[in-house]
């Protein structure tokens, strides 16, 4: 990716975030530029630790050094896709060509065809011919000094035949080096699949295994502050120590769970008119997200109060949405029917 493209993406992302705040009344009410706890991977605001930085650097070194397979595993919601995309951007910044496959319900020949298409090649009808086309492309890239990397997300969905196909692709060599580097990212079941006797050759080619772990309690506190600060909170919304302990207890340090709980807490903040998030609100948000019984860690009164807060928050949000729509409609009329789209 060249500098101008990177700058364009950054500018577009900034404009989009600003527009989202203007169009999203809840975020606007909280003074936030974008949702601090989105439900989808957010590589643009990446929370890192020394361990993650070391793993990223080592994985990048293995790929650019054409050393073989890199394996990335972690439980659901622990940030595999975000790490994968950050690694992809890192190697692209060093001049590598990449192919990203995230639809792993494609198997065997269909998977191979998808790889060719993502590298910009036109696949044929037979697998042997497609391997030949890929080999020619990889040799051309190797001669020009370009490293080619195949990234596969949700690789736990690949069957044994597809994993064997990937092993065959690593047999494509220049005589001195592997022509294709591969990153497999998936849930822990992927590790189980690679332990199968028939895949021992593939497993033996893994030169780096990144295992993503849950956040510990201190890292969780830093993570929440980081996400809020990135959204422009400026230390207005904060969790007290008991709230952080409750968040850790209900999320087990899993980032996706943290996002689901904290997103609900923001509605509670609006309802209370108080930017301090306490343990009661966290517990109720966790219950709303399905991570704990509503009354867990709460008295019946506190549980009922928390549920009421969420009801009030929804009413407040609905009122804000209605107001925003009214303002938007009036603004459109004032501009004589001219519609401005956000392409």
């Amino acid at each position: 990716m060249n500098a101008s493209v990177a700058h364009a993406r950054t500018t577009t992302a900034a404009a989009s975030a600003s527009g989202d705040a203007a169009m999203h009344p809840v975020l606007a009410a909280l003074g936030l530029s974008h949702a601090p706890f989105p439900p989808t991977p957010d590589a643009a605001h990446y929370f890192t630790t020394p361990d993650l930085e070391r793993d990223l650097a080592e994985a990048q070194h293995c790929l650019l050094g054409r050393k073989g397979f890199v394996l990335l595993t972690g439980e659901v919601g622990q940030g595999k896709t975000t790490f994968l995309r950050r690694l992809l951007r890192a190697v692209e910044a060093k001049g590598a060509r990449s192919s990203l496959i995230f639809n792993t319900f494609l198997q065997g020949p269909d998977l191979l065809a998808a790889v060719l298409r993502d590298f910009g090649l036109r696949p044929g009808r037979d697998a042997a011919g497609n391997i030949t086309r890929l080999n020619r492309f990889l040799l051309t890239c190797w001669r020009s000094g370009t490293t080619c990397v195949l990234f596969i997300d949700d690789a736990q969905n690949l069957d044994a035949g597809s994993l064997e196909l990937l092993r065959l692709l690593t047999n494509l060599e220049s005589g001195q080096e592997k022509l294709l580097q591969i990153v497999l990212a998936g849930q822990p079941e992927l590790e189980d699949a690679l332990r199968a006797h028939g895949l021992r050759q593939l497993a033996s080619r893994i030169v780096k295994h990144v295992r993503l772990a849950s956040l510990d309690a201190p890292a969780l506190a830093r993570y929440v502050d980081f996400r809020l600060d990135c959204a422009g909170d400026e230390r207005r919304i904060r969790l007290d120590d008991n709230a952080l302990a409750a968040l850790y207890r209900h999320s087990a340090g899993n980032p996706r769970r943290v996002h689901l709980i904290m997103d609900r807490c923001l509605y509670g903040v609006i309802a209370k008119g108080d930017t301090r998030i306490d343990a009661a609100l966290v517990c109720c948000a966790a219950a709303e997200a399905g991570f704990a019984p509503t009354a867990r860690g709460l008295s019946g009164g506190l549980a009922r109060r928390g549920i009421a807060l969420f009801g009030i928050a929804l009413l407040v949000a609905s009122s804000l949405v209605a107001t925003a729509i009214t303002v938007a409609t009036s603004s459109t009329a004032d501009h004589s029917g001219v519609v401005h789209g956000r392409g």
Side-chain angles (χ1 to χ4, degrees):
M1 184 190 306
N2 60 39
S4 61
V5 174
H7 180 264
R9 286 192 181 182
T10 302
T11 304
T12 301
S16 176
S18 176
D20 287 346
M23 295 302 294
H24 197 307
V26 174
L27 295 180
L30 294 172
L32 301 176
S33 62
H34 61 268
F37 303 100
T40 55
D42 182 14
H45 305 98
Y46 188 78
F47 176 79
T48 190
T49 66
D51 287 343
L52 285 173
E53 284 301 303
R54 184 185 65 250
D55 283 334
L56 183 70
E58 290 178 359
Q60 182 179 342
H61 171 74
C62 291
L63 296 174
L64 296 178
R66 297 173 179 165
K67 296 180 180 294
F69 268 93
V70 170
L71 180 64
L72 169 64
T73 57
E75 282 291 350
V76 174
Q78 285 187 326
K80 294 183 298 298
T81 297
T82 306
F83 185 96
L84 190 72
R85 291 180 183 274
R86 191 163 180 243
L87 179 58
L88 184 150
R89 290 180 181 179
V91 298
E92 283 187 340
K94 297 292 186 179
R97 290 282 300 268
S98 66
S99 171
L100 173 61
I101 303 298
F102 51 86
N103 181 9
T104 47
F105 290 103
L106 296 174
Q107 305 285 350
D110 292 332
L111 175 66
L112 178 59
V115 171
L116 265 68
R117 280 192 293 269
D118 212 47
F119 273 128
L121 305 175
R122 187 172 184 175
R125 294 184 178 181
D126 66 293
N130 284 337
I131 291 177
T132 299
R133 289 183 184 88
L134 181 60
N135 187 49
R136 284 199 298 263
F137 167 77
L138 295 173
L139 275 171
T140 300
C141 290
W142 176 79
R143 292 189 184 107
S144 67
T146 301
T147 299
C148 293
V149 186
L150 170 60
F151 294 85
I152 300 183
D153 201 2
D154 283 331
Q156 75 277 353
N157 296 325
L158 296 176
D159 59 25
S162 296
L163 290 171
E164 175 62 14
L165 170 63
L166 295 179
R167 185 192 68 79
L168 293 175
L169 293 183
T170 62
N171 286 340
L172 302 178
E173 299 178 343
S174 65
Q176 299 88 21
E177 295 176 311
K178 300 291 184 183
L179 295 179
L180 182 64
Q181 316 309 309
I182 298 178
V183 181
L184 294 180
Q187 296 166 22
E189 299 92 289
L190 178 58
E191 293 185 59
D192 297 334
L194 292 173
R195 291 191 189 102
H197 182 74
L199 293 173
R200 64 190 184 281
Q201 290 188 46
L202 176 60
S204 70
R205 296 181 184 182
I206 296 171
V207 294
K208 172 65 180 176
H209 186 177
V210 179
R211 287 186 176 91
L212 296 183
S214 298
L215 299 168
D216 60 20
L220 174 62
R222 295 194 300 273
Y223 181 77
V224 171
D225 285 345
F226 172 82
R227 298 296 315 181
L228 288 168
D229 288 345
C230 285
D233 173 60
E234 298 180 351
R235 304 276 169 170
R236 293 187 300 270
I237 302 170
R238 282 297 172 264
L239 286 73
D240 61 31
D241 290 343
N242 290 334
L244 284 169
L247 180 60
Y248 182 70
R249 188 167 61 249
H250 290 294
S251 70
N254 182 291
R256 185 174 299 173
R257 287 190 170 201
V258 171
H259 282 222
L260 291 171
I261 294 170
M262 285 300 301
D263 187 63
R264 286 164 171 80
C265 284
L266 295 182
Y267 285 91
V269 165
I270 293 176
K272 293 194 306 177
D274 180 2
T275 57
R276 184 179 64 87
I277 296 175
D278 58 19
L281 183 56
V282 170
C283 290
C284 289
E288 285 282 321
F291 297 138
T294 301
R296 182 177 179 179
L298 299 171
S299 66
L302 283 174
R304 287 190 294 274
R305 182 180 64 141
I307 294 172
L309 283 174
F310 280 105
I312 295 170
L314 290 175
L315 290 174
V316 172
S318 297
S319 176
L320 289 169
V321 170
T323 300
I325 292 173
T326 301
V327 171
T329 302
S330 299
S331 176
T332 302
D334 291 342
H335 284 80
S336 303
V338 177
V339 179
H340 300 278
R342 296 193 328 173

